[in-house]
Amino acid sequence: MNLHFDLFDLKLFVYVADARSLTRGAEKACISLAAASTRIKQMEEAVGGKLLHRSAQGVTLTAAGQAVLYHAKRVMQQMEHLRCDMQDFGKGIKGHVRVFANTTSITEYLPQKLAGFLTQHPAVQVDLREYLSEEIVRAVADGEADIGILAGDVHTGDFDARAFGSNQLVLVVPKTHHLAGAPSVAFADTLDEQHVGLHHGSAIHRFLQRRAELAGRGFNPRIQVSSFEAICLMIEAGVGVGVLPASSAQRLSMAMRISTVALSDAWAERELKLIARNREQLPASARELFDHLVAPP
């Protein structure tokens, strides 16, 4: 088998596969339909079998096509790493790392960890974004993120995964609230209360919204703010109750008239994990950050 796919062929194949259409794939690649068809046929000849099933409704991938798509996306990911690194070098930056993390990681663990790394590596740029754990897994798998930090029992496949800490979600109430002093409470039993939460786009808001839906309830906070500290200030003022990471709630309770109540739900106990699709294949700066984050304090 004599495989000589150029980068344009691989990019075209990804476009066609993602669009499930040879026509739309050709349009995205800015070539004619005839030229796209010829290139795909040449790829099939090189492989020695069909990559696409063609029909009036579009195209679907054969088993061989699925394999080509997997490797094509990996190649395109590495080329994007190369492009970003070379662009960064031209700006005097020596590396660019994309990190997708959940709310708790960003607010409780990463500030100190990243501060230490960035002090040691002043020419490295870190792009940090907040997502739900399931979205983080998909982003790492698709090459959108170099490193992911997630919570809970989320399947991470064959990724390199390391323990990154643990945390528990708790209910925060005013000192005078009827639940203050209770040993525990189920999240579903708090949904008749007025809740204070983070903004709609936050990962923890969407997580709690989904948990409420699974319990057959709605989750519509009375007010939404931008930080855990602001949530606790609202709770102290009697606006409502809220769900926070225990570490944040306990720290803030030292200066405010609020109480924490354990959530009895199994999902409230959360182990944090640091993941990469393959640590050895990460760009140098991302690999250094990965190792820094899992190193003991």
Side-chain angles (χ1 to χ4, degrees):
M1 187 178 295
N2 189 16
L3 295 180
H4 290 291
F5 299 152
D6 63 32
L7 290 174
F8 186 83
D9 287 339
L10 295 177
K11 186 181 293 187
L12 170 65
F13 190 79
V14 170
Y15 289 159
V16 170
D18 286 348
R20 298 183 181 274
S21 166
L22 194 58
T23 301
R24 291 200 296 275
E27 289 173 353
K28 190 167 183 180
C30 299
I31 63 173
S32 68
L33 177 59
S37 181
T38 298
R39 282 180 173 270
I40 297 294
K41 285 178 181 177
Q42 288 173 344
M43 292 178 69
E44 290 177 328
E45 290 170 2
V47 170
K50 290 287 186 183
L51 299 177
L52 302 173
H53 291 302
R54 297 165 175 82
S55 71
Q57 287 72 43
V59 299
T60 55
L61 298 180
T62 64
Q66 292 281 3
V68 169
L69 179 63
Y70 173 84
H71 290 288
K73 285 189 172 182
R74 302 288 81 76
V75 170
M76 301 316 298
Q77 176 189 348
Q78 291 300 316
M79 290 304 298
E80 179 62 16
H81 282 318
L82 175 61
R83 186 193 67 79
C84 288
D85 284 350
M86 293 304 101
Q87 185 178 61
D88 290 340
F89 278 120
K91 297 175 180 176
I93 298 171
K94 304 305 181 186
H96 183 102
V97 188
R98 297 163 299 172
V99 180
F100 285 17
N102 70 332
T103 307
T104 304
S105 304
I106 290 174
T107 57
E108 293 299 303
Y109 292 93
L110 284 176
Q112 186 173 2
K113 284 276 193 179
L114 283 178
F117 177 80
L118 293 173
T119 298
Q120 297 170 20
H121 301 80
V124 174
Q125 188 177 75
V126 176
D127 179 6
L128 177 62
R129 304 185 190 183
E130 181 184 345
Y131 285 97
L132 285 172
S133 293
E134 292 83 356
E135 296 169 336
I136 293 167
V137 171
R138 286 195 295 271
V140 171
D142 292 342
E144 294 177 38
D146 301 304
I147 295 170
I149 304 172
L150 49 86
D153 188 20
V154 180
H155 182 62
T156 55
D158 296 327
F159 293 162
D160 282 335
R162 312 289 172 85
F164 189 66
S166 62
N167 213 319
Q168 180 182 12
L169 292 177
V170 297
L171 183 73
V172 179
V173 300
K175 281 281 189 184
T176 56
H177 195 274
H178 68 92
L179 285 174
S184 65
V185 62
F187 175 61
D189 293 338
T190 74
L191 293 174
D192 289 329
E193 303 277 347
Q194 298 283 4
H195 271 256
V196 181
L198 289 184
H199 56 88
H200 274 92
S202 67
I204 196 167
H205 171 83
R206 290 184 291 151
F207 174 78
L208 293 174
Q209 193 172 46
R210 189 173 61 189
R211 287 296 170 182
E213 289 170 355
L214 290 172
R217 303 290 300 277
F219 179 67
N220 299 295
R222 182 181 189 183
I223 188 169
Q224 291 173 279
V225 293
S226 61
S227 69
F228 291 143
E229 182 178 7
I231 290 177
C232 289
L233 286 169
M234 290 289 179
I235 293 170
E236 183 184 37
V239 174
V241 303
V243 175
L244 277 73
S247 54
S248 297
Q250 288 163 3
R251 183 179 69 253
L252 292 166
S253 68
M254 295 171 64
M256 299 184 196
R257 291 185 54 77
I258 56 176
S259 297
T260 61
V261 183
L263 288 173
S264 59
D265 307 84
W267 50 259
E269 294 275 357
R270 308 200 302 169
E271 295 296 322
L272 301 177
K273 288 189 287 188
L274 182 79
I275 63 170
R277 198 171 59 82
N278 186 321
R279 177 200 169 278
E280 297 302 322
Q281 293 180 5
L282 288 173
S285 53
R287 190 165 60 249
E288 289 174 359
L289 177 56
F290 186 93
D291 293 342
H292 176 86
L293 291 175
V294 296

